[in-house]
Amino acid sequence: MYILKNEHLQIGIQHNGAELCSIKNLKNNKEYMWQADPEIWGSHAPNLFPVIGALKGNQIKYEGEFYDMPRHGFIRHNENLEVKKQTETSITFSIKSNEELRKIYPFEFEFELSFTLKATSIEVNHLVKNLDKKPVYFQIGGHPAFNAPLFEGETYEDYYLEFDQDLTLETYLLGESGLVSEHTRTVIENSNKLQLTKDLFNNDALIFKDIPSKHISLKSKNHGAILSVSYKDFKNLGVWAKPGAPYVCIEPWLGIADVESTDQNFKTKEGIIELETGKEYSATYTITIE
């Protein structure tokens, strides 16, 4: 595990998948990240690239060829990321296209993930470089899981998510195979508050497309603001937990799982980013401990 530290926070990032696995507040010694109990959900904060969520048939189709691609892409659990640079308060991981990856993702690229501590915030930056002679196609997403409740004597229902504005939000419902259906249901109506409950995620993740709010806070009825996530570079937001589990994932997404009606063409996949030869694409979200 790699440790970054300043006067406010100490964070840990594991080598596999460059996954943020610990955020400790040095003032109260609390651990804010879900500790990946394998009996419940064995991850902390997977990094999603070059796809988000499930794919029809677990494949992408590019120029008529099919390529097997794991759910959420190939950064998650990947042992082959290299540390490109590191200081006391920042670290950058990198992975480049290679023979193995070309079998599932037929592009020449470099993907960098950087974590930077700034006061009580952690900036998570994603950088994609097109090293190919053709456009590169991809999606990017975060999947950090935060402990809720954080304090003893509290319940999950003592916690809620608060947006920076009143919203009416519809979630897109997932079908049997984890693909996004055309069906929606209203989650909040002209409110800025989403109450956490044990059954909120009985039908899997809440998926908010083109969400106008770019700032969300996790709050406790008893202790006020716990943390917030800002995601101005991301169009969509996922919110998820295993039903009944003591955490919540706040997931900034550029892209979305396959829709049920997909023809699997990667170039026209909903939410896909097309990056021209020689260009770079950067997107950052920020976690702030209150």
Short mmCIF file of all heavy atoms in Angstrom, two decimals, residues 59-120:
data_model
loop_
_atom_site.label_atom_id
_atom_site.label_comp_id
_atom_site.label_asym_id
_atom_site.label_seq_id
_atom_site.Cartn_x
_atom_site.Cartn_y
_atom_site.Cartn_z
N GLN A 59 -19.01 -8.10 -23.85
CA GLN A 59 -18.16 -7.83 -25.01
C GLN A 59 -18.39 -6.42 -25.54
O GLN A 59 -19.47 -5.85 -25.38
CB GLN A 59 -18.46 -8.82 -26.15
CG GLN A 59 -18.05 -10.25 -25.88
CD GLN A 59 -18.42 -11.16 -27.03
OE1 GLN A 59 -19.51 -11.06 -27.59
NE2 GLN A 59 -17.52 -12.07 -27.40
N ILE A 60 -17.33 -5.89 -26.18
CA ILE A 60 -17.49 -4.70 -27.01
C ILE A 60 -17.30 -5.12 -28.46
O ILE A 60 -16.63 -6.12 -28.74
CB ILE A 60 -16.50 -3.57 -26.64
CG1 ILE A 60 -15.04 -4.03 -26.82
CG2 ILE A 60 -16.74 -3.07 -25.23
CD1 ILE A 60 -14.02 -2.89 -26.70
N LYS A 61 -17.90 -4.35 -29.36
CA LYS A 61 -17.77 -4.63 -30.79
C LYS A 61 -17.10 -3.42 -31.44
O LYS A 61 -17.59 -2.29 -31.30
CB LYS A 61 -19.16 -4.87 -31.38
CG LYS A 61 -19.18 -5.24 -32.86
CD LYS A 61 -20.64 -5.47 -33.26
CE LYS A 61 -20.79 -5.55 -34.76
NZ LYS A 61 -22.24 -5.56 -35.10
N TYR A 62 -15.99 -3.67 -32.10
CA TYR A 62 -15.25 -2.58 -32.76
C TYR A 62 -14.84 -3.04 -34.15
O TYR A 62 -14.21 -4.09 -34.30
CB TYR A 62 -14.02 -2.19 -31.93
CG TYR A 62 -13.16 -1.13 -32.59
CD1 TYR A 62 -13.58 0.20 -32.63
CD2 TYR A 62 -11.97 -1.47 -33.21
CE1 TYR A 62 -12.81 1.17 -33.25
CE2 TYR A 62 -11.19 -0.51 -33.83
CZ TYR A 62 -11.62 0.81 -33.86
OH TYR A 62 -10.86 1.76 -34.50
N GLU A 63 -15.24 -2.25 -35.14
CA GLU A 63 -14.94 -2.56 -36.56
C GLU A 63 -15.33 -4.00 -36.90
O GLU A 63 -14.59 -4.73 -37.56
CB GLU A 63 -13.44 -2.32 -36.87
CG GLU A 63 -12.92 -0.93 -36.54
CD GLU A 63 -13.45 0.16 -37.48
OE1 GLU A 63 -14.49 -0.06 -38.12
OE2 GLU A 63 -12.82 1.23 -37.56
N GLY A 64 -16.50 -4.42 -36.40
CA GLY A 64 -17.04 -5.74 -36.74
C GLY A 64 -16.49 -6.89 -35.92
O GLY A 64 -16.99 -8.01 -36.02
N GLU A 65 -15.47 -6.64 -35.10
CA GLU A 65 -14.86 -7.69 -34.27
C GLU A 65 -15.37 -7.56 -32.83
O GLU A 65 -15.56 -6.46 -32.33
CB GLU A 65 -13.33 -7.55 -34.25
CG GLU A 65 -12.65 -7.75 -35.59
CD GLU A 65 -12.56 -9.22 -35.99
OE1 GLU A 65 -12.36 -10.07 -35.10
OE2 GLU A 65 -12.72 -9.50 -37.19
N PHE A 66 -15.54 -8.71 -32.17
CA PHE A 66 -15.95 -8.72 -30.77
C PHE A 66 -14.74 -8.93 -29.86
O PHE A 66 -13.85 -9.72 -30.17
CB PHE A 66 -16.98 -9.83 -30.51
CG PHE A 66 -18.35 -9.48 -31.02
CD1 PHE A 66 -18.76 -9.91 -32.29
CD2 PHE A 66 -19.22 -8.71 -30.27
CE1 PHE A 66 -20.02 -9.59 -32.77
CE2 PHE A 66 -20.48 -8.37 -30.75
CZ PHE A 66 -20.89 -8.81 -32.00
N TYR A 67 -14.73 -8.20 -28.74
CA TYR A 67 -13.64 -8.30 -27.77
C TYR A 67 -14.25 -8.50 -26.38
O TYR A 67 -15.13 -7.75 -25.98
CB TYR A 67 -12.80 -7.01 -27.77
CG TYR A 67 -12.13 -6.72 -29.09
CD1 TYR A 67 -12.81 -6.02 -30.10
CD2 TYR A 67 -10.83 -7.15 -29.34
CE1 TYR A 67 -12.20 -5.76 -31.32
CE2 TYR A 67 -10.21 -6.89 -30.56
CZ TYR A 67 -10.91 -6.20 -31.55
OH TYR A 67 -10.31 -5.96 -32.75
N ASP A 68 -13.75 -9.53 -25.66
CA ASP A 68 -14.23 -9.77 -24.30
C ASP A 68 -13.74 -8.66 -23.38
O ASP A 68 -12.55 -8.32 -23.40
CB ASP A 68 -13.71 -11.12 -23.78
CG ASP A 68 -14.31 -12.29 -24.54
OD1 ASP A 68 -15.42 -12.13 -25.08
OD2 ASP A 68 -13.67 -13.36 -24.61
N MET A 69 -14.64 -8.13 -22.58
CA MET A 69 -14.28 -7.02 -21.69
C MET A 69 -14.97 -7.23 -20.34
O MET A 69 -16.19 -7.40 -20.29
CB MET A 69 -14.73 -5.69 -22.30
CG MET A 69 -14.51 -4.47 -21.42
SD MET A 69 -12.77 -4.00 -21.20
CE MET A 69 -12.35 -3.48 -22.85
N PRO A 70 -14.21 -7.25 -19.23
CA PRO A 70 -14.86 -7.43 -17.93
C PRO A 70 -15.76 -6.24 -17.56
O PRO A 70 -15.57 -5.13 -18.06
CB PRO A 70 -13.69 -7.52 -16.94
CG PRO A 70 -12.44 -7.36 -17.71
CD PRO A 70 -12.77 -7.07 -19.14
N ARG A 71 -16.71 -6.52 -16.70
CA ARG A 71 -17.57 -5.46 -16.13
C ARG A 71 -16.68 -4.38 -15.54
O ARG A 71 -15.70 -4.66 -14.85
CB ARG A 71 -18.44 -6.09 -15.03
CG ARG A 71 -19.42 -5.14 -14.39
CD ARG A 71 -20.07 -5.85 -13.20
NE ARG A 71 -21.05 -4.99 -12.56
CZ ARG A 71 -22.35 -4.95 -12.89
NH1 ARG A 71 -22.82 -5.75 -13.82
NH2 ARG A 71 -23.18 -4.13 -12.28
N HIS A 72 -16.98 -3.14 -15.83
CA HIS A 72 -16.23 -1.96 -15.35
C HIS A 72 -14.83 -1.82 -15.97
O HIS A 72 -14.06 -0.95 -15.57
CB HIS A 72 -16.08 -1.96 -13.82
CG HIS A 72 -17.35 -1.68 -13.07
ND1 HIS A 72 -18.29 -0.77 -13.49
CD2 HIS A 72 -17.83 -2.19 -11.90
CE1 HIS A 72 -19.30 -0.73 -12.62
NE2 HIS A 72 -19.04 -1.59 -11.66
N GLY A 73 -14.48 -2.72 -16.92
CA GLY A 73 -13.19 -2.55 -17.59
C GLY A 73 -12.05 -3.30 -16.92
O GLY A 73 -12.27 -4.17 -16.07
N PHE A 74 -10.81 -2.97 -17.32
CA PHE A 74 -9.66 -3.79 -16.93
C PHE A 74 -8.68 -3.11 -15.97
O PHE A 74 -7.63 -3.66 -15.66
CB PHE A 74 -8.88 -4.26 -18.17
CG PHE A 74 -8.49 -3.14 -19.12
CD1 PHE A 74 -7.48 -2.25 -18.79
CD2 PHE A 74 -9.12 -3.00 -20.34
CE1 PHE A 74 -7.11 -1.23 -19.66
CE2 PHE A 74 -8.76 -1.98 -21.22
CZ PHE A 74 -7.75 -1.09 -20.87
N ILE A 75 -9.01 -1.94 -15.44
CA ILE A 75 -8.13 -1.33 -14.43
C ILE A 75 -8.38 -1.97 -13.06
O ILE A 75 -7.44 -2.26 -12.32
CB ILE A 75 -8.36 0.20 -14.36
CG1 ILE A 75 -8.02 0.86 -15.70
CG2 ILE A 75 -7.51 0.82 -13.24
CD1 ILE A 75 -6.58 0.69 -16.17
N ARG A 76 -9.64 -2.21 -12.76
CA ARG A 76 -10.02 -2.83 -11.49
C ARG A 76 -9.24 -4.15 -11.30
O ARG A 76 -9.20 -4.99 -12.19
CB ARG A 76 -11.52 -3.12 -11.54
CG ARG A 76 -12.07 -3.67 -10.27
CD ARG A 76 -13.54 -3.99 -10.48
NE ARG A 76 -14.18 -4.20 -9.20
CZ ARG A 76 -15.47 -4.49 -9.06
NH1 ARG A 76 -16.24 -4.61 -10.10
NH2 ARG A 76 -15.98 -4.66 -7.87
N HIS A 77 -8.63 -4.32 -10.14
CA HIS A 77 -7.84 -5.51 -9.77
C HIS A 77 -6.57 -5.70 -10.62
O HIS A 77 -5.91 -6.72 -10.50
CB HIS A 77 -8.68 -6.81 -9.88
CG HIS A 77 -9.97 -6.77 -9.14
ND1 HIS A 77 -10.08 -6.30 -7.85
CD2 HIS A 77 -11.23 -7.12 -9.52
CE1 HIS A 77 -11.35 -6.37 -7.46
NE2 HIS A 77 -12.06 -6.86 -8.45
N ASN A 78 -6.25 -4.75 -11.48
CA ASN A 78 -5.10 -4.93 -12.39
C ASN A 78 -3.79 -4.77 -11.62
O ASN A 78 -3.57 -3.76 -10.94
CB ASN A 78 -5.19 -3.90 -13.52
CG ASN A 78 -4.29 -4.25 -14.69
OD1 ASN A 78 -3.12 -4.58 -14.51
ND2 ASN A 78 -4.84 -4.16 -15.89
N GLU A 79 -2.91 -5.76 -11.74
CA GLU A 79 -1.64 -5.76 -11.01
C GLU A 79 -0.52 -5.04 -11.79
O GLU A 79 0.59 -4.91 -11.28
CB GLU A 79 -1.20 -7.21 -10.73
CG GLU A 79 -2.17 -7.98 -9.86
CD GLU A 79 -1.82 -9.46 -9.77
OE1 GLU A 79 -0.72 -9.84 -10.22
OE2 GLU A 79 -2.65 -10.22 -9.25
N ASN A 80 -0.82 -4.64 -13.01
CA ASN A 80 0.25 -4.17 -13.91
C ASN A 80 0.37 -2.66 -14.03
O ASN A 80 1.07 -2.16 -14.91
CB ASN A 80 0.05 -4.78 -15.30
CG ASN A 80 0.10 -6.29 -15.25
OD1 ASN A 80 0.95 -6.86 -14.57
ND2 ASN A 80 -0.82 -6.96 -15.94
N LEU A 81 -0.31 -1.92 -13.15
CA LEU A 81 -0.10 -0.47 -13.15
C LEU A 81 1.26 -0.16 -12.54
O LEU A 81 1.69 -0.83 -11.59
CB LEU A 81 -1.20 0.24 -12.37
CG LEU A 81 -2.55 0.25 -13.09
CD1 LEU A 81 -3.55 -0.61 -12.37
CD2 LEU A 81 -3.08 1.66 -13.24
N GLU A 82 1.92 0.83 -13.09
CA GLU A 82 3.23 1.23 -12.58
C GLU A 82 3.13 2.60 -11.93
O GLU A 82 2.34 3.44 -12.34
CB GLU A 82 4.25 1.29 -13.72
CG GLU A 82 4.51 -0.07 -14.35
CD GLU A 82 5.49 0.00 -15.51
OE1 GLU A 82 5.93 1.13 -15.86
OE2 GLU A 82 5.80 -1.06 -16.07
N VAL A 83 3.94 2.80 -10.88
CA VAL A 83 4.01 4.12 -10.26
C VAL A 83 4.94 4.98 -11.11
O VAL A 83 6.11 4.68 -11.28
CB VAL A 83 4.50 4.04 -8.81
CG1 VAL A 83 4.68 5.44 -8.22
CG2 VAL A 83 3.53 3.23 -7.96
N LYS A 84 4.38 6.07 -11.64
CA LYS A 84 5.14 6.94 -12.53
C LYS A 84 5.88 8.01 -11.74
O LYS A 84 7.02 8.35 -12.04
CB LYS A 84 4.18 7.59 -13.54
CG LYS A 84 4.84 8.04 -14.82
CD LYS A 84 3.79 8.39 -15.87
CE LYS A 84 4.47 8.77 -17.17
NZ LYS A 84 3.47 9.09 -18.21
N LYS A 85 5.20 8.55 -10.73
CA LYS A 85 5.87 9.51 -9.84
C LYS A 85 5.15 9.54 -8.50
O LYS A 85 3.97 9.22 -8.41
CB LYS A 85 5.97 10.90 -10.45
CG LYS A 85 4.71 11.48 -11.04
CD LYS A 85 5.01 12.83 -11.67
CE LYS A 85 3.78 13.52 -12.20
NZ LYS A 85 3.39 13.12 -13.55
N GLN A 86 5.90 9.92 -7.46
CA GLN A 86 5.33 9.95 -6.11
C GLN A 86 6.02 11.01 -5.27
O GLN A 86 7.24 11.16 -5.33
CB GLN A 86 5.48 8.57 -5.45
CG GLN A 86 4.84 8.49 -4.07
CD GLN A 86 4.95 7.12 -3.43
OE1 GLN A 86 5.61 6.23 -3.98
NE2 GLN A 86 4.33 6.94 -2.27
N THR A 87 5.21 11.76 -4.51
CA THR A 87 5.73 12.68 -3.50
C THR A 87 5.02 12.34 -2.19
O THR A 87 4.25 11.38 -2.12
CB THR A 87 5.45 14.15 -3.87
OG1 THR A 87 4.03 14.39 -3.75
CG2 THR A 87 5.89 14.48 -5.29
N GLU A 88 5.23 13.13 -1.15
CA GLU A 88 4.54 12.89 0.13
C GLU A 88 3.03 13.03 0.01
O GLU A 88 2.27 12.39 0.74
CB GLU A 88 5.05 13.87 1.19
CG GLU A 88 6.34 13.42 1.85
CD GLU A 88 6.74 14.34 3.00
OE1 GLU A 88 5.92 15.19 3.42
OE2 GLU A 88 7.88 14.21 3.46
N THR A 89 2.59 13.90 -0.93
CA THR A 89 1.16 14.21 -1.02
C THR A 89 0.55 13.88 -2.38
O THR A 89 -0.60 14.24 -2.64
CB THR A 89 0.91 15.70 -0.70
OG1 THR A 89 1.71 16.49 -1.60
CG2 THR A 89 1.26 16.03 0.73
N SER A 90 1.29 13.20 -3.27
CA SER A 90 0.69 12.83 -4.57
C SER A 90 1.35 11.57 -5.12
O SER A 90 2.49 11.25 -4.79
CB SER A 90 0.83 13.98 -5.57
OG SER A 90 2.17 14.11 -5.98
N ILE A 91 0.58 10.86 -5.93
CA ILE A 91 1.10 9.67 -6.61
C ILE A 91 0.39 9.51 -7.94
O ILE A 91 -0.81 9.82 -8.04
CB ILE A 91 0.93 8.41 -5.72
CG1 ILE A 91 1.70 7.23 -6.31
CG2 ILE A 91 -0.53 8.06 -5.49
CD1 ILE A 91 1.84 6.04 -5.35
N THR A 92 1.12 9.08 -8.96
CA THR A 92 0.55 8.85 -10.29
C THR A 92 0.86 7.43 -10.73
O THR A 92 2.02 7.01 -10.73
CB THR A 92 1.11 9.86 -11.31
OG1 THR A 92 0.78 11.18 -10.90
CG2 THR A 92 0.53 9.61 -12.70
N PHE A 93 -0.20 6.70 -11.10
CA PHE A 93 -0.08 5.36 -11.66
C PHE A 93 -0.31 5.43 -13.17
O PHE A 93 -1.05 6.29 -13.65
CB PHE A 93 -1.14 4.43 -11.05
CG PHE A 93 -1.00 4.21 -9.58
CD1 PHE A 93 -1.55 5.12 -8.67
CD2 PHE A 93 -0.35 3.10 -9.07
CE1 PHE A 93 -1.45 4.91 -7.30
CE2 PHE A 93 -0.23 2.88 -7.71
CZ PHE A 93 -0.78 3.79 -6.82
N SER A 94 0.30 4.48 -13.88
CA SER A 94 0.17 4.49 -15.33
C SER A 94 0.08 3.06 -15.87
O SER A 94 0.67 2.13 -15.31
CB SER A 94 1.39 5.20 -15.95
OG SER A 94 1.51 4.90 -17.32
N ILE A 95 -0.67 2.91 -16.94
CA ILE A 95 -0.68 1.65 -17.70
C ILE A 95 -0.77 1.99 -19.18
O ILE A 95 -1.48 2.93 -19.56
CB ILE A 95 -1.83 0.72 -17.25
CG1 ILE A 95 -1.63 -0.68 -17.84
CG2 ILE A 95 -3.19 1.29 -17.57
CD1 ILE A 95 -2.49 -1.76 -17.19
N LYS A 96 -0.02 1.26 -19.99
CA LYS A 96 -0.04 1.47 -21.44
C LYS A 96 -0.54 0.22 -22.14
O LYS A 96 -0.47 -0.89 -21.58
CB LYS A 96 1.37 1.79 -21.95
CG LYS A 96 1.86 3.19 -21.65
CD LYS A 96 3.22 3.43 -22.27
CE LYS A 96 3.66 4.88 -22.05
NZ LYS A 96 5.04 5.12 -22.51
N SER A 97 -1.02 0.41 -23.36
CA SER A 97 -1.45 -0.74 -24.16
C SER A 97 -0.29 -1.73 -24.30
O SER A 97 0.87 -1.33 -24.36
CB SER A 97 -1.90 -0.28 -25.54
OG SER A 97 -1.04 0.71 -26.05
N ASN A 98 -0.63 -3.00 -24.30
CA ASN A 98 0.37 -4.06 -24.47
C ASN A 98 -0.31 -5.23 -25.17
O ASN A 98 -1.51 -5.18 -25.47
CB ASN A 98 0.98 -4.46 -23.12
CG ASN A 98 -0.08 -4.94 -22.14
OD1 ASN A 98 -1.00 -5.68 -22.49
ND2 ASN A 98 0.03 -4.50 -20.88
N GLU A 99 0.45 -6.27 -25.40
CA GLU A 99 -0.07 -7.40 -26.18
C GLU A 99 -1.31 -8.01 -25.54
O GLU A 99 -2.29 -8.31 -26.24
CB GLU A 99 1.04 -8.46 -26.30
CG GLU A 99 0.83 -9.40 -27.48
CD GLU A 99 2.01 -10.36 -27.68
OE1 GLU A 99 3.14 -10.01 -27.26
OE2 GLU A 99 1.76 -11.43 -28.22
N GLU A 100 -1.29 -8.17 -24.22
CA GLU A 100 -2.44 -8.76 -23.52
C GLU A 100 -3.67 -7.87 -23.64
O GLU A 100 -4.77 -8.34 -23.93
CB GLU A 100 -2.10 -8.97 -22.04
CG GLU A 100 -1.37 -10.26 -21.72
CD GLU A 100 -2.06 -11.50 -22.25
OE1 GLU A 100 -3.21 -11.76 -21.83
OE2 GLU A 100 -1.46 -12.20 -23.09
N LEU A 101 -3.48 -6.57 -23.40
CA LEU A 101 -4.62 -5.65 -23.42
C LEU A 101 -5.21 -5.49 -24.82
O LEU A 101 -6.42 -5.31 -24.97
CB LEU A 101 -4.22 -4.28 -22.86
CG LEU A 101 -4.03 -4.22 -21.34
CD1 LEU A 101 -3.58 -2.83 -20.91
CD2 LEU A 101 -5.32 -4.59 -20.60
N ARG A 102 -4.37 -5.56 -25.83
CA ARG A 102 -4.87 -5.42 -27.21
C ARG A 102 -5.87 -6.52 -27.57
O ARG A 102 -6.71 -6.33 -28.44
CB ARG A 102 -3.71 -5.43 -28.22
CG ARG A 102 -2.97 -4.11 -28.28
CD ARG A 102 -1.85 -4.10 -29.32
NE ARG A 102 -0.81 -3.18 -28.88
CZ ARG A 102 0.37 -3.55 -28.40
NH1 ARG A 102 0.69 -4.83 -28.32
NH2 ARG A 102 1.24 -2.65 -28.00
N LYS A 103 -5.79 -7.65 -26.88
CA LYS A 103 -6.74 -8.75 -27.14
C LYS A 103 -8.16 -8.38 -26.72
O LYS A 103 -9.12 -8.95 -27.22
CB LYS A 103 -6.30 -10.03 -26.41
CG LYS A 103 -5.01 -10.64 -26.95
CD LYS A 103 -4.56 -11.80 -26.06
CE LYS A 103 -3.20 -12.32 -26.50
NZ LYS A 103 -2.64 -13.27 -25.50
N ILE A 104 -8.27 -7.47 -25.75
CA ILE A 104 -9.61 -7.08 -25.28
C ILE A 104 -9.94 -5.61 -25.58
O ILE A 104 -11.10 -5.23 -25.53
CB ILE A 104 -9.77 -7.35 -23.76
CG1 ILE A 104 -8.79 -6.52 -22.93
CG2 ILE A 104 -9.62 -8.83 -23.44
CD1 ILE A 104 -9.09 -6.55 -21.44
N TYR A 105 -8.92 -4.83 -25.93
CA TYR A 105 -9.11 -3.38 -26.16
C TYR A 105 -8.14 -2.96 -27.26
O TYR A 105 -6.96 -2.70 -26.97
CB TYR A 105 -8.85 -2.63 -24.84
CG TYR A 105 -9.16 -1.15 -24.87
CD1 TYR A 105 -10.45 -0.69 -25.12
CD2 TYR A 105 -8.15 -0.22 -24.64
CE1 TYR A 105 -10.73 0.68 -25.13
CE2 TYR A 105 -8.42 1.14 -24.64
CZ TYR A 105 -9.71 1.58 -24.89
OH TYR A 105 -9.98 2.93 -24.88
N PRO A 106 -8.61 -2.89 -28.51
CA PRO A 106 -7.70 -2.79 -29.67
C PRO A 106 -7.22 -1.36 -29.96
O PRO A 106 -7.37 -0.86 -31.07
CB PRO A 106 -8.57 -3.33 -30.81
CG PRO A 106 -9.96 -2.93 -30.43
CD PRO A 106 -10.03 -3.02 -28.92
N PHE A 107 -6.62 -0.74 -28.96
CA PHE A 107 -6.16 0.65 -29.11
C PHE A 107 -4.79 0.82 -28.47
O PHE A 107 -4.45 0.13 -27.52
CB PHE A 107 -7.16 1.62 -28.45
CG PHE A 107 -8.55 1.53 -29.00
CD1 PHE A 107 -9.52 0.80 -28.33
CD2 PHE A 107 -8.89 2.17 -30.19
CE1 PHE A 107 -10.81 0.70 -28.83
CE2 PHE A 107 -10.19 2.08 -30.70
CZ PHE A 107 -11.14 1.34 -30.03
N GLU A 108 -4.05 1.80 -29.00
CA GLU A 108 -2.77 2.20 -28.41
C GLU A 108 -3.05 3.42 -27.52
O GLU A 108 -3.53 4.45 -28.01
CB GLU A 108 -1.75 2.56 -29.49
CG GLU A 108 -1.43 1.42 -30.45
CD GLU A 108 -0.81 0.22 -29.75
OE1 GLU A 108 0.08 0.43 -28.90
OE2 GLU A 108 -1.20 -0.92 -30.05
N PHE A 109 -2.75 3.30 -26.24
CA PHE A 109 -3.13 4.35 -25.29
C PHE A 109 -2.20 4.33 -24.09
O PHE A 109 -1.48 3.37 -23.85
CB PHE A 109 -4.58 4.11 -24.81
CG PHE A 109 -4.67 2.94 -23.86
CD1 PHE A 109 -4.63 3.14 -22.48
CD2 PHE A 109 -4.73 1.64 -24.33
CE1 PHE A 109 -4.66 2.06 -21.61
CE2 PHE A 109 -4.77 0.55 -23.47
CZ PHE A 109 -4.73 0.76 -22.10
N GLU A 110 -2.28 5.40 -23.30
CA GLU A 110 -1.76 5.40 -21.94
C GLU A 110 -2.86 5.94 -21.04
O GLU A 110 -3.53 6.93 -21.38
CB GLU A 110 -0.50 6.24 -21.78
CG GLU A 110 0.06 6.18 -20.36
CD GLU A 110 1.36 6.94 -20.14
OE1 GLU A 110 1.80 7.67 -21.06
OE2 GLU A 110 1.94 6.80 -19.06
N PHE A 111 -3.06 5.28 -19.89
CA PHE A 111 -4.05 5.71 -18.90
C PHE A 111 -3.32 6.01 -17.61
O PHE A 111 -2.57 5.17 -17.10
CB PHE A 111 -5.09 4.61 -18.69
CG PHE A 111 -6.14 4.93 -17.65
CD1 PHE A 111 -7.08 5.92 -17.86
CD2 PHE A 111 -6.19 4.23 -16.45
CE1 PHE A 111 -8.05 6.20 -16.91
CE2 PHE A 111 -7.16 4.50 -15.49
CZ PHE A 111 -8.09 5.49 -15.73
N GLU A 112 -3.50 7.21 -17.09
CA GLU A 112 -2.86 7.61 -15.83
C GLU A 112 -3.92 7.93 -14.79
O GLU A 112 -4.95 8.54 -15.09
CB GLU A 112 -1.98 8.85 -16.03
CG GLU A 112 -0.72 8.61 -16.81
CD GLU A 112 0.18 9.85 -16.88
OE1 GLU A 112 -0.14 10.85 -16.19
OE2 GLU A 112 1.17 9.80 -17.61
N LEU A 113 -3.64 7.52 -13.56
CA LEU A 113 -4.48 7.85 -12.41
C LEU A 113 -3.62 8.56 -11.39
O LEU A 113 -2.58 8.04 -10.99
CB LEU A 113 -5.01 6.57 -11.77
CG LEU A 113 -6.40 6.10 -12.18
CD1 LEU A 113 -6.60 4.68 -11.71
CD2 LEU A 113 -7.48 6.99 -11.60
N SER A 114 -4.03 9.75 -10.98
CA SER A 114 -3.26 10.52 -10.00
C SER A 114 -4.12 10.83 -8.79
O SER A 114 -5.30 11.19 -8.91
CB SER A 114 -2.77 11.84 -10.61
OG SER A 114 -1.93 11.58 -11.70
N PHE A 115 -3.52 10.70 -7.61
CA PHE A 115 -4.16 11.06 -6.35
C PHE A 115 -3.33 12.17 -5.72
O PHE A 115 -2.12 12.02 -5.55
CB PHE A 115 -4.21 9.85 -5.41
CG PHE A 115 -4.99 8.69 -5.97
CD1 PHE A 115 -4.37 7.76 -6.79
CD2 PHE A 115 -6.33 8.54 -5.68
CE1 PHE A 115 -5.08 6.69 -7.32
CE2 PHE A 115 -7.05 7.47 -6.19
CZ PHE A 115 -6.43 6.55 -7.02
N THR A 116 -3.99 13.28 -5.38
CA THR A 116 -3.28 14.42 -4.81
C THR A 116 -4.01 14.89 -3.55
O THR A 116 -5.22 15.16 -3.58
CB THR A 116 -3.21 15.58 -5.82
OG1 THR A 116 -2.65 15.09 -7.05
CG2 THR A 116 -2.35 16.71 -5.30
N LEU A 117 -3.25 14.98 -2.45
CA LEU A 117 -3.79 15.51 -1.19
C LEU A 117 -3.64 17.02 -1.18
O LEU A 117 -2.53 17.54 -1.37
CB LEU A 117 -3.00 14.94 -0.01
CG LEU A 117 -3.50 13.70 0.69
CD1 LEU A 117 -2.59 13.40 1.87
CD2 LEU A 117 -4.93 13.85 1.17
N LYS A 118 -4.75 17.74 -0.95
CA LYS A 118 -4.70 19.20 -0.80
C LYS A 118 -5.55 19.57 0.41
O LYS A 118 -6.78 19.48 0.33
CB LYS A 118 -5.22 19.89 -2.06
CG LYS A 118 -4.30 19.73 -3.26
CD LYS A 118 -4.80 20.53 -4.45
CE LYS A 118 -3.83 20.43 -5.62
NZ LYS A 118 -4.35 21.08 -6.83
N ALA A 119 -4.91 19.93 1.51
CA ALA A 119 -5.61 20.22 2.77
C ALA A 119 -6.50 19.02 3.12
O ALA A 119 -5.99 17.92 3.27
CB ALA A 119 -6.38 21.53 2.69
N THR A 120 -7.82 19.21 3.21
CA THR A 120 -8.71 18.11 3.60
C THR A 120 -9.37 17.44 2.39
O THR A 120 -10.38 16.76 2.52
CB THR A 120 -9.81 18.61 4.56
OG1 THR A 120 -10.55 19.65 3.90
CG2 THR A 120 -9.22 19.14 5.85
#
